[in-house]
Amino acid sequence: MELRTYFEKYSDEATCIEELKNKRLENGLLCRKCGHNTHSFRQNDLKFQCRKCGSRTSLRSGTVMENSNLPIRYWMICIELMTLSHRRLSILKIQYLLGHKRYEPIWMMVQKIRLVMKIRDEKYRLKAYSEFDPEFLQKIDKLAIKKKAESSKL
């Protein structure tokens, strides 16, 4: 997938807010006060409001984005890049791709995402399935061909 595709998928903040809202509702959102599961979304302050007791929950609360001032778009793009990339992206590269001026908030965001990914990886262990990076297999093939050529010369 091309980098351009990520930025088209998350073209603006409103699209990202809508996608996050739908994911939260799809996964099930329970009211912290009364435990009710039906909510309405308040677009003006980005909060879910319980239809039973009226208490409000922030769109970001209970997620890795909680207590962050970075745009949701940054989070969505960064999560997408980190989960689909075969290699580890540098924080400076992510900062450059997002066009953000300061390093520290991007560093904190990446650290939070890495922590969540680590917790998820510890929870789900692969037992009967392995996947190799295609570049790794190409290197092994080149080494095998090189060794074969060297042994045939002897």
Side-chain angles (χ1 to χ4, degrees):
M1 194 180 269
E2 294 179 356
L3 188 60
R4 179 183 61 213
T5 310
Y6 298 125
F7 288 98
E8 288 173 359
K9 185 176 180 182
Y10 306 118
S11 58
D12 60 352
E13 187 71 6
T15 306
C16 295
I17 289 170
E18 189 66 28
E19 186 164 332
L20 180 60
K21 177 188 84 162
N22 292 337
K23 275 285 186 210
R24 297 280 316 261
L25 290 172
E26 180 183 308
N27 290 337
L29 185 65
L30 293 176
C31 178
R32 291 183 181 178
K33 273 190 173 179
C34 67
H36 197 252
N37 63 353
T38 308
H39 292 75
S40 57
F41 187 70
R42 296 170 43 95
Q43 194 68 40
N44 57 345
D45 59 356
L46 302 179
K47 292 186 178 183
F48 293 101
Q49 184 169 345
C50 177
R51 291 193 177 167
K52 187 175 181 182
C53 71
S55 73
R56 295 181 186 155
T57 305
S58 170
L59 178 64
R60 296 177 188 230
S61 71
T63 69
V64 69
M65 298 176 234
E66 192 169 16
N67 300 324
S68 171
N69 293 328
L70 289 174
I72 293 174
R73 181 173 185 248
Y74 282 14
W75 284 92
M76 302 289 266
I77 290 171
C78 191
I79 289 169
E80 191 90 18
L81 287 172
M82 289 176 69
T83 55
L84 295 179
S85 176
H86 289 290
R87 295 189 177 117
R88 199 174 231 200
L89 292 170
S90 76
I91 297 171
L92 282 173
K93 183 73 170 176
I94 293 171
Q95 178 189 0
Y96 172 76
L97 291 171
L98 293 174
H100 197 73
K101 293 178 184 174
R102 294 187 56 237
Y103 178 81
E104 292 81 13
I106 304 302
W107 180 86
M108 183 61 78
M109 174 178 66
V110 171
Q111 297 307 315
K112 286 181 175 183
I113 294 169
R114 284 180 181 161
L115 178 64
V116 168
M117 289 171 74
K118 179 184 173 214
I119 292 168
R120 181 208 55 204
D121 287 346
E122 289 172 355
K123 187 176 179 182
Y124 303 105
R125 295 265 181 211
L126 293 178
K127 292 182 180 171
Y129 180 78
S130 295
E131 182 178 330
F132 291 101
D133 188 357
E135 293 176 28
F136 175 74
L137 294 175
Q138 287 174 355
K139 288 179 184 178
I140 289 177
D141 288 342
K142 287 178 185 176
L143 286 173
I145 292 169
K146 190 176 177 181
K147 262 189 171 178
K148 193 174 185 180
E150 288 175 359
S151 65
S152 65
K153 289 181 183 178
L154 296 174

